[in-house]
Amino acid sequence: MREVTASCSPSLALVKYWGKLPGLVNVASTPSLALTLDALRTTTVARFAPAPDRVSIDGVEQPIAPFEPLIAEFRRRAAGADRAVCVESSNSFPTAAGIASSSSGFAALTLALDALFATGLDRAELSAIARIGSGSACRAVYGGFTVWEAGSQAARPLLPATHWSDLRVLIAVVDEGPKAVASRAGMGHSRDTSPVYAAWVREAPAIFDRARAALESRDIDALGTAMRDSYLLMFSTMFTARPPFIYWKPATVAVLNAAEQLRRSGVPAWETMDAGPQVKIVTTADHEATVRDRLAAVAPDVRLLSSAVGGNPVVSVVDDRQGASGG
Ligand code: PMV
């Protein structure tokens, strides 16, 4: 019997994906630029098992519907393989709370099924399949810095983690619970009802270009201002949706204010946020302790996770008779 283990890290967007092109499966309306969070991991174990398909996350059995299109894609590609799968996934960080667990989760599932079904697809094909599960997952099949162009079926690697090895991300976990509005529903509602959505789609490519140039030249302040333009315009589409939906909590705002104060005192501390109340602050290793201390002072109940950029996926296969092989 074959057992496969795949491990992926979440993809944190510096320039956001928020909104899909109509009539397609998770194809973005805007380009996104992301890094992979080395310190956070989803680990997924998959094996063939008697029907029906089963998926659990952190020990809790999940409704199978969100996973079936992706599993079906592998059955289709592995001609003749009509077998059911049992998948057990676990996260080293809070699930479905706006820390991009869906990105690492669907990326790890994709890599695990590729190894289990022995489909041997290349990384771009795997990126496109991961996207079926969750848009941001197409970026999480790669480590380092990634790009997902608007209208594209797959993401691609942009730069390795070594390009900016002293970059750090502090994740302020404001609320550990699952978010009230899933990103899939939220981005559809923004697109369908917010008068700001058209401005978001119009502005996003220029923001992306600025962020990409800043990343290439390792200019953290230029990157930070582009990041800020991206996430605030994205949230504007939520605040102006009809009815609006607001993920922010009082501690979220306290952390945002602290980042602003740090910048005024010359410390690079540039925040971004996703579909949830958590704040991710991008800084450099030499300023990490200062940022930590300030956040602990203004928001003592907020848990802080820290990560460098990295997160190359790891896949291993154990066949009962043949032993283990890495990949
Ligand atoms: O991949 P989804 O459907 O969970 O959407 C992710 C959306 C954001 O995290 C808000 C932005 C992004 O680009 O990751």
Side-chain angles (χ1 to χ4, degrees):
M1 196 184 74
R2 165 172 295 193
E3 184 176 277
V4 170
T5 304
S7 147
C8 287
S9 290
S11 169
L12 172 67
L14 307 174
V15 174
K16 303 296 178 185
Y17 149 58
W18 190 255
K20 309 171 204 292
L21 293 176
L24 298 166
V25 180
N26 298 346
V27 174
S29 309
T30 58
S32 55
L33 176 72
L35 55 76
T36 314
L37 291 165
D38 195 48
L40 279 52
R41 283 269 160 189
T42 298
T43 302
T44 297
V45 178
R47 63 185 84 83
F48 291 119
D53 293 324
R54 296 174 66 175
V55 173
S56 71
I57 299 177
D58 294 331
V60 179
E61 183 102 18
Q62 303 292 309
I64 198 69
F67 305 96
E68 277 300 357
L70 206 152
I71 299 169
E73 183 67 21
F74 279 100
R75 282 205 194 94
R76 192 178 69 72
R77 290 186 184 236
D82 200 16
R83 306 175 69 183
V85 298
C86 173
V87 176
E88 289 162 8
S89 191
S90 58
N91 290 318
S92 69
F93 56 95
T95 301
I99 313 183
S101 60
S102 65
S103 68
S104 49
F106 280 108
L109 177 63
T110 300
L111 299 191
L113 294 182
D114 178 55
L116 185 67
F117 284 93
T119 25
L121 302 175
D122 68 30
R123 212 33 79 100
E125 289 173 294
L126 294 171
S127 172
I129 294 177
R131 196 202 79 243
I132 297 170
S134 164
S136 56
C138 73
R139 302 185 309 238
V141 299
Y142 306 103
F145 298 92
T146 59
V147 159
W148 181 22
E149 306 279 358
S152 176
Q153 305 279 326
R156 59 184 166 79
L158 178 67
L159 288 162
T162 50
H163 170 70
W164 205 341
S165 47
D166 70 333
L167 204 66
R168 294 289 178 276
V169 180
L170 279 172
I171 300 159
V173 186
V174 166
D175 188 337
E176 312 245 349
K179 56 199 172 199
V181 180
S183 46
R184 180 168 301 203
M187 63 178 81
H189 185 56
S190 286
R191 187 187 72 190
D192 294 344
T193 67
S194 167
V196 174
Y197 184 79
W200 156 246
V201 173
R202 190 183 66 235
E203 296 293 319
I207 296 172
F208 173 87
D209 288 345
R210 282 165 45 212
R212 185 183 164 156
L215 173 62
E216 281 168 353
S217 60
R218 290 190 287 271
D219 180 341
I220 193 163
D221 292 334
L223 178 62
T225 48
M227 283 165 51
R228 186 173 58 188
D229 288 353
S230 178
Y231 92 88
L232 286 176
L233 202 44
M234 174 182 83
F235 275 95
S236 303
T237 73
M238 307 179 202
F239 298 156
T240 53
R242 294 168 180 157
F245 54 110
I246 299 175
Y247 293 110
W248 297 17
K249 303 268 168 88
T252 306
V253 179
V255 172
L256 299 183
N257 288 338
E260 169 67 24
Q261 283 162 7
L262 284 162
R263 292 195 295 272
R264 286 214 190 113
S265 63
V267 176
W270 292 98
E271 78 278 2
T272 185
M273 293 179 62
D274 292 283
Q278 335 304 356
V279 185
K280 293 92 176 189
I281 297 188
V282 175
T283 187
T284 51
D286 50 340
H287 290 105
E288 182 178 341
T290 310
V291 178
R292 259 182 187 283
D293 290 350
R294 182 68 62 88
L295 296 184
V298 301
D301 297 335
V302 167
R303 185 154 71 106
L304 291 177
L305 309 174
S306 168
S307 183
V309 185
N312 281 334
V314 180
V315 180
S316 65
V317 179
V318 177
D319 282 319
D320 253 1
R321 280 185 213 127
Q322 291 156 6
S325 63

